[in-house]
Coordinates of all heavy atoms in Angstrom, one line a residue:
M1 N 23.2 -129.6 -189.5 CA 22.0 -129.3 -190.3 C 22.3 -129.1 -191.7 O 23.3 -128.3 -192.0 CB 21.3 -128.1 -189.6 CG 19.9 -127.9 -190.2 SD 19.2 -126.5 -189.3 CE 17.8 -127.4 -188.6
S2 N 21.6 -129.6 -192.6 CA 21.8 -129.5 -194.0 C 21.4 -128.1 -194.6 O 20.4 -127.6 -194.2 CB 21.1 -130.6 -194.8 OG 21.1 -130.4 -196.2
R3 N 22.2 -127.6 -195.5 CA 21.8 -126.4 -196.1 C 20.9 -126.6 -197.3 O 20.3 -125.7 -197.9 CB 23.1 -125.6 -196.6 CG 23.9 -125.1 -195.4 CD 25.0 -124.3 -195.9 NE 25.2 -123.2 -195.0 CZ 26.1 -122.3 -195.0 NH1 26.9 -122.3 -196.1 NH2 26.2 -121.4 -194.1
N4 N 20.9 -127.8 -197.8 CA 20.1 -128.1 -199.0 C 18.7 -128.6 -198.5 O 18.4 -129.7 -198.4 CB 20.7 -129.3 -199.8 CG 22.0 -128.8 -200.4 OD1 22.2 -127.7 -200.7 ND2 23.0 -129.8 -200.5
V5 N 17.8 -127.6 -198.3 CA 16.5 -127.9 -197.8 C 15.6 -127.7 -199.0 O 15.7 -126.8 -199.8 CB 16.1 -126.9 -196.7 CG1 14.6 -127.1 -196.3 CG2 17.0 -127.0 -195.5
S6 N 14.7 -128.6 -199.2 CA 13.7 -128.6 -200.3 C 12.3 -128.8 -199.8 O 12.1 -129.4 -198.7 CB 14.1 -129.6 -201.4 OG 14.0 -130.9 -200.9
F7 N 11.4 -128.5 -200.6 CA 10.0 -128.7 -200.3 C 9.3 -129.4 -201.5 O 9.6 -129.0 -202.6 CB 9.3 -127.3 -200.1 CG 7.8 -127.5 -199.9 CD1 7.2 -127.9 -198.7 CD2 6.9 -127.2 -201.0 CE1 5.8 -128.0 -198.6 CE2 5.6 -127.3 -200.9 CZ 5.0 -127.7 -199.7
S8 N 8.5 -130.3 -201.2 CA 7.8 -131.0 -202.3 C 6.4 -131.3 -201.8 O 6.2 -131.5 -200.6 CB 8.5 -132.3 -202.8 OG 8.5 -133.2 -201.7
M9 N 5.5 -131.3 -202.8 CA 4.1 -131.6 -202.4 C 3.5 -132.5 -203.5 O 3.7 -132.3 -204.7 CB 3.2 -130.3 -202.4 CG 1.8 -130.6 -202.0 SD 0.7 -129.2 -201.8 CE 1.5 -127.8 -202.4
N10 N 2.9 -133.6 -203.1 CA 2.1 -134.5 -204.0 C 1.0 -133.7 -204.6 O 0.1 -133.2 -203.9 CB 1.7 -135.7 -203.2 CG 0.8 -136.6 -204.1 OD1 0.7 -136.5 -205.3 ND2 0.1 -137.6 -203.4
T11 N 1.0 -133.6 -205.9 CA -0.1 -132.8 -206.5 C -1.2 -133.7 -207.0 O -2.2 -133.2 -207.7 CB 0.4 -132.0 -207.7 OG1 1.1 -132.8 -208.6 CG2 1.4 -130.9 -207.2
G12 N -1.2 -134.9 -206.7 CA -2.3 -135.8 -207.2 C -3.4 -135.8 -206.2 O -3.5 -135.0 -205.3
A13 N -4.4 -136.7 -206.4 CA -5.6 -136.8 -205.6 C -5.2 -137.1 -204.2 O -4.3 -137.9 -203.9 CB -6.5 -137.9 -206.1
G14 N -5.8 -136.5 -203.2 CA -5.5 -136.6 -201.8 C -4.3 -135.8 -201.3 O -4.0 -135.9 -200.2
G15 N -3.7 -135.1 -202.2 CA -2.5 -134.3 -201.9 C -2.7 -132.8 -202.1 O -3.8 -132.3 -201.7
G16 N -1.8 -132.2 -202.7 CA -1.8 -130.8 -203.0 C -3.0 -130.3 -203.8 O -3.6 -129.3 -203.6
K17 N -3.4 -131.2 -204.7 CA -4.6 -130.9 -205.6 C -5.8 -130.6 -204.7 O -6.5 -129.6 -204.9 CB -4.8 -132.0 -206.5 CG -6.1 -131.9 -207.4 CD -6.3 -133.1 -208.2 CE -7.7 -133.3 -208.6 NZ -8.0 -134.6 -209.2
D18 N -6.1 -131.5 -203.8 CA -7.2 -131.3 -202.9 C -7.1 -130.1 -202.0 O -8.0 -129.4 -201.8 CB -7.5 -132.6 -202.1 CG -7.9 -133.8 -202.9 OD1 -8.3 -133.5 -204.1 OD2 -7.7 -134.9 -202.5
I19 N -5.9 -129.9 -201.5 CA -5.6 -128.8 -200.6 C -5.9 -127.4 -201.3 O -6.5 -126.5 -200.8 CB -4.2 -128.8 -200.0 CG1 -4.1 -130.0 -199.1 CG2 -3.8 -127.6 -199.3 CD1 -2.7 -130.4 -198.7
I20 N -5.3 -127.3 -202.5 CA -5.5 -126.1 -203.3 C -6.9 -125.8 -203.6 O -7.4 -124.7 -203.6 CB -4.5 -126.1 -204.5 CG1 -3.1 -126.0 -204.0 CG2 -4.9 -125.0 -205.5 CD1 -2.1 -126.3 -205.1
Q21 N -7.6 -126.9 -204.0 CA -9.1 -126.7 -204.4 C -9.9 -126.3 -203.1 O -10.7 -125.5 -203.2 CB -9.6 -128.0 -204.9 CG -9.1 -128.3 -206.3 CD -9.5 -129.7 -206.8 OE1 -9.9 -130.5 -206.1 NE2 -9.3 -129.9 -208.1
E22 N -9.5 -126.8 -202.0 CA -10.2 -126.4 -200.7 C -9.9 -125.0 -200.4 O -10.8 -124.2 -199.9 CB -9.9 -127.4 -199.6 CG -10.6 -128.7 -199.7 CD -10.3 -129.6 -198.5 OE1 -10.2 -129.0 -197.3 OE2 -10.3 -130.8 -198.6
M23 N -8.7 -124.6 -200.6 CA -8.3 -123.2 -200.3 C -8.9 -122.2 -201.2 O -9.2 -121.1 -200.9 CB -6.7 -123.1 -200.4 CG -6.0 -123.7 -199.3 SD -4.2 -123.7 -199.5 CE -3.8 -122.0 -199.6
A24 N -9.2 -122.6 -202.5 CA -9.8 -121.7 -203.5 C -11.3 -121.7 -203.4 O -11.9 -120.8 -203.9 CB -9.3 -122.2 -204.9
A25 N -11.9 -122.7 -202.7 CA -13.4 -122.8 -202.7 C -14.0 -121.5 -202.2 O -15.0 -121.0 -202.8 CB -13.8 -124.0 -201.9
P26 N -13.6 -120.9 -201.1 CA -14.2 -119.7 -200.6 C -14.1 -118.5 -201.6 O -15.1 -117.8 -201.8 CB -13.5 -119.3 -199.3 CG -12.9 -120.6 -198.8 CD -12.6 -121.4 -200.1
M27 N -13.0 -118.4 -202.2 CA -12.8 -117.4 -203.2 C -13.7 -117.6 -204.4 O -14.3 -116.6 -204.9 CB -11.4 -117.3 -203.7 CG -11.1 -116.2 -204.7 SD -9.3 -116.1 -205.1 CE -8.9 -117.8 -205.6
I28 N -13.9 -118.8 -204.8 CA -14.8 -119.2 -206.0 C -16.2 -118.8 -205.6 O -17.0 -118.3 -206.4 CB -14.6 -120.6 -206.3 CG1 -13.2 -120.9 -207.0 CG2 -15.7 -121.1 -207.3 CD1 -12.8 -122.3 -207.0
M29 N -16.6 -119.2 -204.4 CA -18.0 -118.9 -203.9 C -18.2 -117.4 -203.8 O -19.3 -116.9 -204.2 CB -18.3 -119.6 -202.6 CG -18.3 -121.1 -202.7 SD -19.5 -121.7 -204.0 CE -21.1 -121.3 -203.1
D30 N -17.2 -116.6 -203.3 CA -17.4 -115.2 -203.2 C -17.6 -114.6 -204.6 O -18.4 -113.7 -204.8 CB -16.2 -114.6 -202.5 CG -16.2 -114.8 -201.0 OD1 -17.2 -115.2 -200.5 OD2 -15.1 -114.6 -200.4
A31 N -16.8 -115.1 -205.6 CA -16.9 -114.5 -207.0 C -18.3 -114.9 -207.5 O -18.9 -114.0 -208.2 CB -15.8 -115.1 -207.8
A32 N -18.8 -116.1 -207.3 CA -20.1 -116.5 -207.8 C -21.2 -115.6 -207.2 O -22.2 -115.2 -207.8 CB -20.3 -118.0 -207.6
K33 N -21.1 -115.4 -205.9 CA -22.1 -114.6 -205.2 C -22.1 -113.1 -205.7 O -23.1 -112.5 -205.8 CB -21.8 -114.6 -203.7 CG -22.2 -115.9 -203.0 CD -21.8 -115.9 -201.6 CE -22.0 -117.3 -201.0 NZ -21.6 -117.4 -199.6
S34 N -20.9 -112.6 -206.0 CA -20.8 -111.3 -206.6 C -21.5 -111.2 -208.0 O -22.2 -110.3 -208.3 CB -19.3 -110.9 -206.8 OG -18.7 -110.7 -205.5
I35 N -21.3 -112.3 -208.8 CA -21.9 -112.4 -210.1 C -23.4 -112.4 -209.9 O -24.2 -111.7 -210.6 CB -21.4 -113.6 -210.9 CG1 -19.9 -113.4 -211.3 CG2 -22.3 -113.8 -212.1 CD1 -19.3 -114.6 -211.8
A36 N -23.9 -113.2 -209.0 CA -25.4 -113.4 -208.8 C -26.0 -112.0 -208.3 O -27.0 -111.6 -208.8 CB -25.7 -114.4 -207.7
S37 N -25.3 -111.3 -207.4 CA -25.7 -110.0 -206.9 C -25.8 -109.0 -208.1 O -26.8 -108.3 -208.2 CB -24.8 -109.5 -205.8 OG -25.2 -108.3 -205.4
R38 N -24.8 -108.9 -208.9 CA -24.8 -108.0 -210.0 C -25.9 -108.4 -211.0 O -26.5 -107.5 -211.6 CB -23.4 -108.0 -210.7 CG -23.3 -107.2 -212.0 CD -23.1 -105.7 -211.8 NE -21.9 -105.4 -211.0 CZ -20.7 -105.3 -211.5 NH1 -20.4 -105.4 -212.8 NH2 -19.7 -104.9 -210.7
A39 N -26.1 -109.7 -211.3 CA -27.1 -110.1 -212.2 C -28.5 -109.7 -211.7 O -29.3 -109.3 -212.5 CB -27.0 -111.6 -212.4
E40 N -28.7 -109.8 -210.4 CA -30.0 -109.4 -209.9 C -30.2 -107.9 -210.0 O -31.3 -107.4 -210.4 CB -30.1 -109.7 -208.4 CG -30.3 -111.2 -208.2 CD -30.4 -111.7 -206.7 OE1 -30.4 -110.8 -205.9 OE2 -30.6 -112.9 -206.5
K41 N -29.2 -107.1 -209.9 CA -29.3 -105.6 -210.1 C -29.6 -105.3 -211.6 O -30.4 -104.5 -211.9 CB -28.0 -104.9 -209.7 CG -27.8 -104.9 -208.2 CD -26.5 -104.3 -207.8 CE -26.2 -104.4 -206.3 NZ -24.9 -103.9 -205.9
I42 N -28.9 -106.0 -212.4 CA -29.1 -105.8 -213.9 C -30.5 -106.2 -214.3 O -31.2 -105.5 -215.0 CB -28.1 -106.5 -214.7 CG1 -26.7 -105.9 -214.5 CG2 -28.4 -106.5 -216.2 CD1 -25.5 -106.7 -215.1
S43 N -30.9 -107.4 -213.8 CA -32.3 -107.9 -214.1 C -33.4 -106.9 -213.6 O -34.4 -106.7 -214.3 CB -32.5 -109.3 -213.4 OG -33.7 -109.8 -213.7
S44 N -33.2 -106.3 -212.4 CA -34.2 -105.4 -211.9 C -34.3 -104.1 -212.8 O -35.3 -103.5 -212.8 CB -34.0 -105.0 -210.5 OG -32.8 -104.3 -210.4
S45 N -33.2 -103.8 -213.5 CA -33.3 -102.6 -214.3 C -33.8 -102.8 -215.7 O -34.2 -101.9 -216.4 CB -31.9 -102.0 -214.4 OG -31.0 -102.8 -215.1
I46 N -33.9 -104.1 -216.2 CA -34.3 -104.4 -217.5 C -35.6 -105.2 -217.6 O -36.1 -105.3 -218.7 CB -33.2 -105.1 -218.4 CG1 -32.9 -106.5 -217.8 CG2 -32.0 -104.3 -218.5 CD1 -32.0 -107.3 -218.7
R47 N -36.1 -105.7 -216.5 CA -37.3 -106.5 -216.5 C -38.3 -105.9 -215.5 O -38.0 -105.4 -214.5 CB -37.0 -107.9 -216.1 CG -36.1 -108.6 -217.1 CD -35.8 -110.0 -216.7 NE -37.0 -110.8 -216.6 CZ -36.9 -112.1 -216.4 NH1 -35.7 -112.7 -216.3 NH2 -38.0 -112.9 -216.4
V48 N -39.6 -106.1 -215.9 CA -40.7 -105.7 -215.0 C -40.7 -106.6 -213.7 O -40.9 -106.2 -212.6 CB -42.1 -105.8 -215.7 CG1 -43.2 -105.5 -214.8 CG2 -42.0 -104.9 -216.9
H49 N -40.5 -107.9 -214.0 CA -40.4 -108.9 -212.9 C -39.0 -109.4 -212.8 O -38.7 -110.4 -213.5 CB -41.4 -110.0 -213.1 CG -42.8 -109.6 -213.2 ND1 -43.6 -109.1 -212.1 CD2 -43.7 -109.5 -214.3 CE1 -44.8 -108.8 -212.5 NE2 -44.9 -109.0 -213.8
P50 N -38.2 -108.8 -212.0 CA -36.7 -109.2 -212.0 C -36.5 -110.7 -211.6 O -37.3 -111.2 -210.8 CB -36.1 -108.3 -211.0 CG -37.2 -107.5 -210.4 CD -38.5 -107.8 -211.0
Q51 N -35.5 -111.3 -212.1 CA -35.1 -112.6 -211.8 C -34.2 -112.6 -210.6 O -33.4 -111.7 -210.4 CB -34.4 -113.2 -213.0 CG -34.0 -114.7 -212.9 CD -35.1 -115.6 -212.7 OE1 -35.6 -115.9 -211.6 NE2 -35.6 -116.2 -213.8
K52 N -34.3 -113.7 -209.8 CA -33.4 -113.9 -208.7 C -32.4 -115.0 -209.1 O -32.8 -115.9 -209.8 CB -34.2 -114.4 -207.4 CG -35.1 -113.4 -206.9 CD -34.4 -112.2 -206.2 CE -35.3 -111.2 -205.6 NZ -34.7 -110.1 -205.1
F53 N -31.2 -114.8 -208.7 CA -30.2 -115.8 -209.0 C -29.6 -116.4 -207.8 O -29.5 -115.8 -206.8 CB -29.1 -115.1 -209.9 CG -29.5 -114.7 -211.2 CD1 -30.0 -113.4 -211.4 CD2 -29.5 -115.5 -212.3 CE1 -30.5 -112.9 -212.6 CE2 -29.9 -115.1 -213.5 CZ -30.4 -113.8 -213.7
D54 N -29.3 -117.7 -207.9 CA -28.7 -118.5 -206.8 C -27.4 -119.0 -207.1 O -27.1 -119.2 -208.3 CB -29.7 -119.6 -206.4 CG -29.5 -120.1 -205.0 OD1 -28.8 -119.5 -204.2 OD2 -30.0 -121.2 -204.7
V55 N -26.6 -119.4 -206.1 CA -25.2 -120.0 -206.4 C -25.3 -121.4 -205.9 O -25.7 -121.7 -204.8 CB -24.2 -119.2 -205.6 CG1 -22.8 -119.8 -205.7 CG2 -24.2 -117.7 -206.0
E56 N -24.7 -122.3 -206.7 CA -24.6 -123.7 -206.4 C -23.1 -124.1 -206.5 O -22.4 -123.6 -207.3 CB -25.4 -124.6 -207.4 CG -26.9 -124.3 -207.4 CD -27.6 -125.2 -208.5 OE1 -26.9 -125.9 -209.3 OE2 -28.8 -125.1 -208.6
G57 N -22.7 -124.9 -205.6 CA -21.3 -125.4 -205.6 C -20.7 -125.2 -204.3 O -21.3 -125.0 -203.3
P58 N -19.4 -125.3 -204.2 CA -18.4 -125.4 -205.3 C -18.3 -126.9 -205.8 O -18.6 -127.8 -205.0 CB -17.1 -124.9 -204.7 CG -17.2 -125.3 -203.2 CD -18.7 -125.1 -202.9
Y59 N -18.0 -127.0 -207.0 CA -17.8 -128.3 -207.6 C -16.4 -128.4 -208.2 O -15.7 -127.4 -208.3 CB -18.8 -128.5 -208.8 CG -20.2 -128.3 -208.5 CD1 -20.9 -127.2 -208.9 CD2 -20.9 -129.3 -207.7 CE1 -22.3 -127.1 -208.6 CE2 -22.2 -129.1 -207.4 CZ -22.9 -128.1 -207.8 OH -24.2 -127.9 -207.5
V60 N -16.0 -129.6 -208.5 CA -14.7 -129.8 -209.1 C -15.0 -130.8 -210.3 O -15.7 -131.7 -210.2 CB -13.7 -130.5 -208.2 CG1 -12.4 -130.9 -208.9 CG2 -13.4 -129.6 -207.0
G61 N -14.4 -130.4 -211.5 CA -14.6 -131.3 -212.6 C -14.5 -130.8 -214.0 O -14.4 -131.5 -214.9
L62 N -14.5 -129.4 -214.1 CA -14.3 -128.9 -215.4 C -12.9 -129.1 -215.9 O -12.0 -128.7 -215.1 CB -14.6 -127.4 -215.4 CG -16.1 -127.0 -215.3 CD1 -16.2 -125.4 -215.3 CD2 -16.9 -127.5 -216.5
P63 N -12.7 -129.6 -217.1 CA -11.3 -129.8 -217.5 C -10.6 -128.5 -217.9 O -11.2 -127.6 -218.3 CB -11.5 -130.7 -218.7 CG -12.8 -130.4 -219.2 CD -13.6 -130.1 -218.0
N64 N -9.3 -128.5 -217.6 CA -8.5 -127.4 -218.1 C -7.5 -127.8 -219.2 O -7.5 -129.0 -219.6 CB -7.7 -126.7 -216.9 CG -6.6 -127.6 -216.3 OD1 -6.2 -128.6 -216.9 ND2 -6.2 -127.3 -215.2
R65 N -6.8 -126.9 -219.7 CA -5.9 -127.2 -220.9 C -4.8 -128.2 -220.6 O -4.3 -128.8 -221.5 CB -5.3 -125.9 -221.4 CG -6.3 -125.1 -222.2 CD -5.6 -123.9 -222.8 NE -6.3 -122.7 -222.2 CZ -5.8 -121.5 -222.2 NH1 -4.6 -121.3 -222.8 NH2 -6.5 -120.5 -221.7
R66 N -4.4 -128.2 -219.3 CA -3.3 -129.1 -219.0 C -3.7 -130.5 -218.5 O -2.9 -131.2 -218.0 CB -2.5 -128.4 -217.9 CG -1.8 -127.1 -218.3 CD -1.1 -126.5 -217.2 NE -1.0 -125.0 -217.4 CZ -1.9 -124.2 -216.9 NH1 -2.9 -124.6 -216.1 NH2 -1.8 -122.9 -217.1
G67 N -4.9 -130.8 -218.7 CA -5.4 -132.1 -218.3 C -5.9 -132.3 -216.9 O -6.3 -133.3 -216.4
G68 N -5.9 -131.2 -216.1 CA -6.4 -131.2 -214.8 C -7.8 -130.8 -214.7 O -8.5 -130.8 -215.7
Q69 N -8.3 -130.6 -213.5 CA -9.7 -130.3 -213.3 C -9.9 -129.0 -212.6 O -9.1 -128.7 -211.6 CB -10.4 -131.4 -212.5 CG -10.5 -132.7 -213.3 CD -11.2 -133.7 -212.4 OE1 -11.3 -133.7 -211.2 NE2 -11.9 -134.7 -213.1
R70 N -10.8 -128.2 -213.0 CA -11.1 -126.9 -212.3 C -12.1 -127.0 -211.3 O -13.0 -127.8 -211.4 CB -11.6 -125.9 -213.4 CG -10.5 -125.5 -214.4 CD -11.1 -124.5 -215.4 NE -10.1 -124.2 -216.4 CZ -10.4 -123.5 -217.5 NH1 -11.6 -123.1 -217.7 NH2 -9.5 -123.3 -218.3
A71 N -12.0 -126.2 -210.3 CA -13.0 -126.0 -209.3 C -13.9 -124.8 -209.8 O -13.4 -123.9 -210.3 CB -12.4 -125.7 -207.9
Y72 N -15.2 -124.9 -209.6 CA -16.1 -123.9 -210.1 C -17.4 -123.9 -209.3 O -17.7 -124.7 -208.5 CB -16.5 -124.2 -211.6 CG -17.2 -125.4 -211.8 CD1 -18.6 -125.4 -212.0 CD2 -16.6 -126.7 -211.9 CE1 -19.4 -126.6 -212.2 CE2 -17.3 -127.8 -212.1 CZ -18.7 -127.8 -212.2 OH -19.4 -128.9 -212.4
A73 N -18.2 -122.8 -209.5 CA -19.5 -122.7 -208.9 C -20.5 -122.3 -210.0 O -20.1 -121.7 -211.0 CB -19.5 -121.6 -207.8
K74 N -21.8 -122.6 -209.9 CA -22.8 -122.2 -210.8 C -23.6 -121.1 -210.3 O -24.0 -121.1 -209.1 CB -23.7 -123.4 -211.1 CG -23.1 -124.6 -211.9 CD -24.2 -125.6 -212.1 CE -23.7 -126.8 -212.7 NZ -24.8 -127.9 -212.9
V75 N -24.0 -120.2 -211.2 CA -24.9 -119.1 -210.9 C -26.2 -119.5 -211.7 O -26.1 -119.5 -213.0 CB -24.4 -117.7 -211.2 CG1 -25.5 -116.7 -210.9 CG2 -23.1 -117.4 -210.4
V76 N -27.3 -119.7 -211.1 CA -28.5 -120.2 -211.8 C -29.7 -119.3 -211.5 O -29.8 -118.7 -210.4 CB -28.8 -121.6 -211.5 CG1 -27.7 -122.6 -212.0 CG2 -29.0 -121.8 -210.0
A77 N -30.6 -119.2 -212.4 CA -31.9 -118.5 -212.2 C -32.7 -119.3 -211.2 O -32.8 -120.5 -211.3 CB -32.6 -118.3 -213.5
V78 N -33.4 -118.6 -210.3 CA -34.2 -119.3 -209.3 C -35.4 -119.9 -209.9 O -35.8 -121.0 -209.7 CB -34.6 -118.3 -208.1 CG1 -35.6 -119.0 -207.2 CG2 -33.3 -117.9 -207.4
E79 N -36.1 -119.1 -210.8 CA -37.3 -119.6 -211.5 C -37.0 -119.4 -213.0 O -37.4 -118.4 -213.6 CB -38.5 -118.7 -211.1 CG -38.9 -118.9 -209.6 CD -40.0 -118.0 -209.2 OE1 -40.8 -117.6 -210.1 OE2 -40.2 -117.8 -208.0
P80 N -36.3 -120.4 -213.6 CA -36.0 -120.3 -215.0 C -37.3 -120.3 -215.9 O -38.3 -121.0 -215.6 CB -35.2 -121.5 -215.3 CG -35.5 -122.4 -214.2 CD -35.9 -121.7 -213.0
N81 N -37.3 -119.4 -216.9 CA -38.4 -119.3 -217.8 C -37.9 -119.6 -219.2 O -36.7 -119.5 -219.5 CB -39.0 -117.9 -217.8 CG -39.6 -117.6 -216.4 OD1 -40.3 -118.4 -215.8 ND2 -39.2 -116.5 -215.8
G82 N -38.8 -119.8 -220.2 CA -38.4 -120.1 -221.5 C -38.5 -118.8 -222.4 O -39.0 -117.8 -221.9
G83 N -38.1 -118.9 -223.6 CA -38.3 -117.8 -224.6 C -37.5 -116.6 -224.3 O -36.3 -116.7 -224.0
D84 N -38.2 -115.5 -224.4 CA -37.5 -114.2 -224.2 C -36.9 -114.0 -222.8 O -35.9 -113.4 -222.6 CB -38.4 -113.0 -224.5 CG -38.7 -112.9 -226.0 OD1 -37.9 -113.4 -226.8 OD2 -39.7 -112.3 -226.4
A85 N -37.6 -114.6 -221.8 CA -37.2 -114.5 -220.4 C -35.9 -115.2 -220.3 O -34.9 -114.7 -219.6 CB -38.2 -115.0 -219.5
Y86 N -35.8 -116.4 -220.9 CA -34.5 -117.1 -220.8 C -33.4 -116.3 -221.5 O -32.3 -116.3 -220.9 CB -34.7 -118.5 -221.6 CG -33.4 -119.3 -221.6 CD1 -33.0 -120.1 -220.6 CD2 -32.6 -119.3 -222.8 CE1 -31.9 -120.8 -220.6 CE2 -31.4 -120.0 -222.8 CZ -31.1 -120.8 -221.7 OH -29.9 -121.5 -221.8
Y87 N -33.6 -115.7 -222.6 CA -32.6 -114.9 -223.3 C -32.2 -113.8 -222.4 O -31.0 -113.5 -222.3 CB -33.2 -114.4 -224.6 CG -32.2 -113.5 -225.4 CD1 -31.1 -114.1 -226.0 CD2 -32.3 -112.2 -225.4 CE1 -30.1 -113.3 -226.7 CE2 -31.4 -111.4 -226.0 CZ -30.3 -111.9 -226.7 OH -29.4 -111.1 -227.3
N88 N -33.2 -113.1 -221.8 CA -32.8 -112.0 -220.9 C -32.0 -112.4 -219.7 O -31.0 -111.8 -219.3 CB -34.1 -111.3 -220.3 CG -34.8 -110.5 -221.4 OD1 -34.2 -110.1 -222.3 ND2 -36.1 -110.3 -221.2
D89 N -32.3 -113.6 -219.1 CA -31.5 -114.1 -218.0 C -30.1 -114.5 -218.5 O -29.1 -114.2 -217.8 CB -32.1 -115.4 -217.5 CG -33.4 -115.1 -216.8 OD1 -33.7 -114.0 -216.5 OD2 -34.2 -116.1 -216.6
Y90 N -29.9 -115.0 -219.7 CA -28.6 -115.4 -220.2 C -27.8 -114.1 -220.4 O -26.6 -114.0 -220.0 CB -28.8 -116.1 -221.6 CG -27.5 -116.4 -222.3 CD1 -26.7 -117.4 -221.8 CD2 -27.1 -115.6 -223.3 CE1 -25.5 -117.7 -222.5 CE2 -25.9 -115.9 -224.0 CZ -25.1 -116.9 -223.5 OH -23.9 -117.1 -224.1
Q91 N -28.4 -113.1 -221.0 CA -27.7 -111.8 -221.3 C -27.3 -111.1 -220.0 O -26.3 -110.6 -219.8 CB -28.6 -110.9 -222.1 CG -28.7 -111.3 -223.6 CD -27.3 -111.3 -224.2 OE1 -26.7 -112.3 -224.4 NE2 -26.8 -110.1 -224.5
T92 N -28.2 -111.2 -219.0 CA -28.0 -110.6 -217.7 C -26.7 -111.3 -217.0 O -25.9 -110.6 -216.5 CB -29.2 -110.8 -216.7 OG1 -30.3 -110.2 -217.3 CG2 -28.9 -110.3 -215.4
L93 N -26.6 -112.6 -217.1 CA -25.5 -113.3 -216.5 C -24.2 -112.9 -217.3 O -23.1 -112.8 -216.7 CB -25.7 -114.8 -216.5 CG -26.7 -115.3 -215.4 CD1 -27.0 -116.8 -215.6 CD2 -26.1 -115.0 -214.1
R94 N -24.3 -112.8 -218.6 CA -23.1 -112.4 -219.4 C -22.6 -111.1 -219.0 O -21.4 -110.8 -218.9 CB -23.4 -112.5 -220.9 CG -23.8 -113.8 -221.5 CD -22.7 -114.7 -221.6 NE -21.7 -114.2 -222.6 CZ -20.5 -114.7 -222.7 NH1 -20.1 -115.7 -222.0 NH2 -19.7 -114.1 -223.6
L95 N -23.5 -110.1 -218.8 CA -23.2 -108.8 -218.4 C -22.6 -108.7 -217.0 O -21.8 -107.9 -216.6 CB -24.4 -107.8 -218.5 CG -24.9 -107.5 -219.9 CD1 -26.2 -106.8 -219.8 CD2 -23.9 -106.7 -220.6
A96 N -23.0 -109.7 -216.1 CA -22.6 -109.7 -214.7 C -21.3 -110.4 -214.5 O -20.7 -110.3 -213.4 CB -23.7 -110.3 -213.9
L97 N -20.7 -111.1 -215.5 CA -19.5 -111.9 -215.3 C -18.3 -111.1 -214.7 O -17.5 -111.6 -213.9 CB -19.1 -112.5 -216.6 CG -19.8 -113.8 -217.0 CD1 -19.4 -114.3 -218.3 CD2 -19.7 -114.8 -215.9
D98 N -18.2 -109.8 -215.1 CA -17.0 -109.1 -214.7 C -17.0 -108.8 -213.2 O -16.0 -108.5 -212.6 CB -16.9 -107.7 -215.4 CG -18.0 -106.8 -215.1 OD1 -19.1 -107.2 -214.8 OD2 -17.8 -105.6 -215.2
A99 N -18.2 -109.0 -212.5 CA -18.3 -108.8 -211.1 C -17.5 -109.9 -210.3 O -17.2 -109.7 -209.2 CB -19.7 -108.8 -210.6
G100 N -17.3 -111.0 -211.0 CA -16.7 -112.1 -210.3 C -15.2 -112.2 -210.6 O -14.5 -113.2 -210.1
R101 N -14.6 -111.2 -211.3 CA -13.2 -111.3 -211.5 C -12.4 -111.1 -210.3 O -12.7 -110.2 -209.4 CB -12.8 -110.2 -212.5 CG -13.5 -110.6 -213.8 CD -12.8 -109.9 -215.0 NE -13.6 -110.3 -216.1 CZ -13.6 -109.8 -217.3 NH1 -12.8 -108.8 -217.5 NH2 -14.3 -110.3 -218.3
V102 N -11.3 -111.8 -210.1 CA -10.5 -111.7 -209.0 C -9.3 -110.9 -209.5 O -8.6 -111.3 -210.4 CB -10.0 -113.1 -208.5 CG1 -9.0 -113.0 -207.4 CG2 -11.2 -114.0 -208.1
V103 N -9.0 -109.8 -208.8 CA -7.9 -109.0 -209.1 C -6.8 -109.0 -208.0 O -7.1 -109.1 -206.9 CB -8.4 -107.5 -209.4 CG1 -9.3 -107.5 -210.6 CG2 -9.0 -106.9 -208.2
K104 N -5.6 -108.8 -208.5 CA -4.5 -108.7 -207.5 C -4.4 -107.3 -207.0 O -4.4 -106.3 -207.8 CB -3.2 -109.1 -208.3 CG -2.0 -109.0 -207.4 CD -0.7 -109.4 -208.1 CE 0.5 -109.2 -207.2 NZ 1.7 -109.5 -208.0
R105 N -4.4 -107.1 -205.7 CA -4.3 -105.8 -205.1 C -3.0 -105.7 -204.4 O -2.5 -106.6 -203.8 CB -5.5 -105.7 -204.1 CG -6.8 -105.7 -204.8 CD -7.9 -105.2 -203.9 NE -9.1 -105.1 -204.7 CZ -10.2 -105.7 -204.4 NH1 -10.4 -106.3 -203.3 NH2 -11.3 -105.6 -205.2
G106 N -2.5 -104.4 -204.4 CA -1.3 -104.2 -203.7 C -0.1 -103.9 -204.5 O 0.1 -103.8 -205.6

């Protein structure tokens, strides 16, 4: 038996890239759901008629700095409005972003 054992993975399409994106999808969706939940709580404290937020995805396609593609999810307003309501929804989502941060525990 050889002592020189190595591991390699094809990182292109159909290989490790797809596997890693599939493994990350549940974590991405959990983060997006946390953001939507926090945004609904913030919206209910600043608006008379709170906005509901929904999660769409996961998707693959946002470019990263290294030329690859990111997997992502969208958090969207259920009933988007214009004007001040749109601005409030935007600010609410900006404030809720920290709820989706993934932290290393342990």
